[in-house]
Amino acid sequence: MTEQQEASEDAVMTRIGQAVILLHAGDREEARNRLGEIWAEIAAEGDSLHRCTLAHYMADAQDDPADELAWDLRALTAADGLRPGEEPALPPGRRPGQVVGQTPGEGSGRGAAETPGQGPGLGVGQGARPGHQQAVRVFYPSLHLSLAADYVKLRRPEAARVHLARARAATGALADDGYGNGVRAAIARLERRLAAEPGEGPRPFPEQYS
């Protein structure tokens, strides 16, 4: 990758981060507008990392739970398409400005624990950049947890259980740190909540958004 390409990719992540700052400041409409503009530029040919990151944050900017689900599904599809060399800059779920110990459903967004000030463009964990396969695995617990939460909002507990089980199965990739522990705690809370919900257990579902 050339220096020019790296600078261009950094610029995209910086723009996403600026939109997320607006979102956390309460300007949801402007955040949606900015993220939408970036998506229009990268959706067709942009790399999977940018699409995954943007879609995951865009989900938080939605007012309609169905739209939130659609964007979280786009994030999952993009993560599945990450190519060698496209290392995630940040596990989805870590939100700029979120305090250590915050977990999905607490504070801004649905993200898990994060070091204050950490945002798009910073390395996974304490600044380290793991290999591609490890980095992709770190994405999945938070991605599936977000989808499970979406389905709970939409009163689809069976679909929520499917994704919650996938989130739990993927936690082996998480480190024993504030972020990993926060995700595990959030999964446990949602598991307890769903245990009290009526349902027939997990069912497969076909939805995917491009």
Side-chain angles (χ1 to χ4, degrees):
M1 181 181 294
T2 68
E3 291 184 4
Q4 184 176 2
Q5 288 174 319
E6 289 179 352
S8 176
E9 293 195 356
D10 287 345
V12 172
M13 297 303 291
T14 297
R15 290 170 64 196
I16 293 173
Q18 290 169 344
V20 173
I21 290 172
L22 289 173
L23 175 62
H24 291 169
D27 194 346
R28 296 169 63 84
E29 182 176 0
E30 181 61 21
R32 281 195 300 267
N33 289 341
R34 293 198 186 189
L35 290 171
E37 290 173 1
I38 302 169
W39 183 260
E41 298 171 13
I42 69 174
E45 299 181 358
D47 68 46
S48 299
L49 164 60
H50 293 159
R51 289 187 284 113
C52 180
T53 304
L54 187 151
H56 195 70
Y57 288 145
M58 183 66 125
D60 282 349
Q62 303 306 305
D63 297 322
D64 186 331
D67 293 335
E68 187 174 0
L69 171 64
W71 282 105
D72 275 328
L73 285 168
R74 291 184 180 104
L76 180 61
T77 298
D80 288 340
L82 281 167
R83 300 183 297 272
E86 291 181 355
E87 293 186 2
L90 185 73
R94 293 197 182 194
R95 309 293 190 186
Q98 186 177 8
V99 299
V100 172
Q102 265 189 353
T103 48
E106 296 178 351
S108 58
R110 297 158 297 150
E114 169 183 314
T115 302
Q118 202 168 29
L122 299 181
V124 175
Q126 300 301 317
R129 290 185 65 82
H132 169 70
Q133 294 301 324
Q134 177 185 349
V136 172
R137 288 197 298 270
V138 173
F139 265 65
Y140 286 105
S142 183
L143 287 171
H144 285 295
L145 176 60
S146 293
L147 284 163
D150 294 340
Y151 282 118
V152 168
K153 292 179 184 178
L154 293 168
R155 299 183 180 181
R156 295 180 58 183
E158 293 84 2
R161 290 186 180 97
V162 169
H163 279 285
L164 194 58
R166 292 175 184 174
R168 172 63 70 186
T171 56
L174 296 173
D176 186 15
D177 58 11
Y179 172 73
N181 293 335
V183 173
R184 293 185 190 94
I187 291 171
R189 284 197 302 273
L190 194 53
E191 285 172 338
R192 289 193 296 270
R193 177 176 175 181
L194 284 172
E197 294 281 343
E200 299 177 2
R203 297 177 183 173
F205 56 93
E207 297 100 315
Q208 280 292 325
Y209 288 76
S210 60

